[in-house]
Amino acid sequence: MLHLAFETSCDDTSIALMEDDRLLQMVTRSQITEHLATQGVVPEVAARLHAHVIFEVLDEVLTAGKVTLSDIKYIDCTSEPGLLPSLLVGKTVAKTLARALDIPLHWIHHIEGHIFANLLERKVDDLIFPAVVLTVSWGHNEIYLWKSLYEWELLGQTRDDAAGEAFDKVAKAMWLGFPGGPIVAKYASEYTGVYQHLFPVPLLETESLDFSFSGLKSAVRREIETRRATHWGILPEHDLQEIAFEFEQAIVSVLVTKLNRAAKKMGVSTIMLAGWVSANDFLRLSLDSLSKTEGYHFFAPVKKVYSMDNAAMIGVRGYYESTRFAKI
Ligand code: KG4
Ligand code: ZN
């Protein structure tokens, strides 16, 4: 059954054409260049840009899929969380289409979409439940126990910043641009020295599955300011690489330790990654090697594009919503 999925929660206008759980076509228009001047997303500006391109993106998807709106049997759309003005653009278009075509509309939670991205190009039976899932994005940093397809429970969450936000703030403090995650990761990968534990690794209380990155972020900022003062205000390339590397090691070490702690505490043998920070190579490699030593099954979205904000993850979550009651 053909369905259309919409994702406009932040600064990507993404629409996917799906056949059940299978992605047929997807067009995603990023606004990164437009937000460079402000080094961050201004919600009002993002919403205007979504409104400007959304019908163009829709036409492209339909044309590429060689279908018309009358072939579409239902619609899925991100409802929350996200930037309210941005969400409103996608929601208005999705609701108008569903009304005009007289077809069902599924409101999808963005983070559930990120989690279900693990089902793109996989079947439910490929995943091994129960699993502990680490959601790492700009606004979310949580660990869930995913008990079965429609059943999950929150185990831990951040008490301040999420990992993506910490990456972005560190990049901003180093004047490296926006969005910070991929840039910091690139500088970190260029560093050739050894890990010296320059920054704190905030693990909180012994049993805790919560996160707190504000202390780590402040320690990185202080280090940047100290080094800048001794370099006439400009950090040399080597220092940028070293700080990025030390920060990435510290934050990934927290994420990996907590997910391992959660798996042990819950007695499960499947660990899973979701959210755009799951595109981070060092995080994926670290979880991969943890799974080898601990004997876990490790799942992450099969393509980096499925880790990013994308409409396919909303579509696959929508598909499983449409089959939810049929399967019971
Ligand atoms: O999933 P997302 O769009 O946020 C929410 O839905 O809340 O994640 C965006 C975040 C940004 O902070 C970005 O810097 C970060 O994901 N990010 C990365 C990488 N790619 C994107 N962080 C670390 N390493 C990456 N390769
Ligand atoms: Zn996201």
Side-chain angles (χ1 to χ4, degrees):
M1 205 181 270
L2 293 178
H3 55 124
L4 275 178
F6 290 77
E7 156 60 38
T8 64
S9 66
C10 189
D11 59 344
D12 292 285
T13 315
S14 186
I15 303 179
L17 171 68
M18 315 271 303
E19 180 162 23
D20 297 334
D21 58 343
R22 203 161 57 88
L23 174 64
L24 299 180
Q25 298 291 337
M26 179 160 66
V27 177
T28 303
R29 206 65 66 79
S30 164
Q31 304 174 354
I32 284 184
T33 8
E34 285 88 345
H35 295 303
L36 282 179
T38 46
Q39 291 286 295
V41 181
V42 177
E44 163 93 19
V45 175
R48 282 167 192 262
L49 293 167
H50 284 305
H52 189 64
V53 302
I54 197 162
F55 286 107
E56 221 173 275
V57 172
L58 177 62
D59 287 342
E60 271 182 51
V61 171
L62 294 173
T63 308
K66 299 186 177 65
V67 297
T68 65
L69 282 174
S70 58
D71 299 315
I72 304 301
K73 299 295 177 256
Y74 59 88
I75 288 178
D76 323 292
C77 178
T78 307
S79 59
E80 58 164 344
L83 304 175
L84 292 180
S86 290
L87 286 164
L88 205 54
V89 176
K91 286 168 77 170
T92 306
V93 172
K95 194 165 182 173
T96 307
L97 284 177
R99 280 246 173 163
L101 299 168
D102 195 21
I103 54 177
L105 169 62
H106 302 128
W107 293 125
I108 304 298
H109 190 280
H110 181 79
I111 300 300
E112 286 182 23
H114 273 302
I115 296 174
F116 273 69
N118 278 291
L119 278 158
L120 286 163
E121 299 185 32
R122 286 195 186 110
K123 296 284 163 213
V124 179
D125 292 343
D126 296 341
L127 301 185
I128 301 151
F129 292 112
V132 283
V133 190
L134 174 69
T135 58
V136 262
S137 68
W138 177 82
H140 289 259
N141 207 128
E142 288 129 12
I143 296 181
Y144 290 91
L145 176 65
W146 198 1
K147 299 174 186 173
S148 63
L149 193 57
Y150 300 109
E151 247 192 315
W152 44 88
E153 181 192 328
L154 181 67
L155 299 177
Q157 60 190 320
T158 183
R159 296 178 187 172
D160 39 60
D161 294 347
E165 191 181 353
F167 267 100
D168 287 359
K169 285 180 177 165
V170 163
K172 200 168 182 176
M174 292 203 282
W175 304 338
L176 290 181
F178 158 87
I183 311 171
V184 170
K186 181 180 160 291
Y187 272 87
S189 70
E190 287 163 358
Y191 186 65
T192 49
V194 292
Y195 184 31
Q196 298 166 76
H197 301 265
L198 285 187
F199 303 125
V201 175
L203 291 174
L204 306 175
E205 307 81 28
T206 332
E207 288 292 303
S208 175
L209 296 178
D210 283 346
F211 301 87
S212 168
F213 294 123
S214 67
L216 168 61
K217 183 190 66 191
S218 304
V220 176
R221 273 199 185 132
R222 279 196 299 276
E223 182 70 20
I224 292 167
E225 276 155 28
T226 311
R227 292 194 189 198
R228 213 169 253 152
T230 62
H231 286 101
W232 309 98
I234 307 289
L235 279 183
E237 205 68 357
H238 175 271
D239 289 60
L240 291 174
Q241 291 168 350
E242 184 180 23
I243 292 171
F245 173 81
E246 290 283 333
F247 164 72
E248 190 180 59
Q249 292 281 330
I251 199 161
V252 167
S253 162
V254 174
L255 297 171
V256 170
T257 306
K258 296 281 173 162
L259 192 59
N260 189 27
R261 194 180 275 179
K264 295 262 178 288
K265 204 168 169 175
M266 295 298 129
V268 307
S269 59
T270 304
I271 60 172
M272 221 176 270
L273 197 50
W276 201 331
V277 182
S278 70
N280 184 283
D281 290 327
F282 181 57
L283 175 59
R284 280 183 178 233
L285 283 174
S286 304
L287 287 175
D288 204 38
S289 75
L290 173 78
S291 337
K292 288 194 175 105
T293 32
E294 298 290 339
Y296 296 144
H297 307 283
F298 170 46
F299 296 93
V302 296
K303 290 180 182 156
K304 276 202 177 169
V305 68
Y306 300 151
S307 290
M308 299 159 71
D309 279 355
N310 69 91
M313 69 185 196
I314 302 303
V316 76
R317 176 69 189 92
Y319 165 73
Y320 284 105
E321 196 55 32
S322 72
T323 55
R324 184 171 188 157
F325 300 106
K327 286 200 163 179
I328 289 174

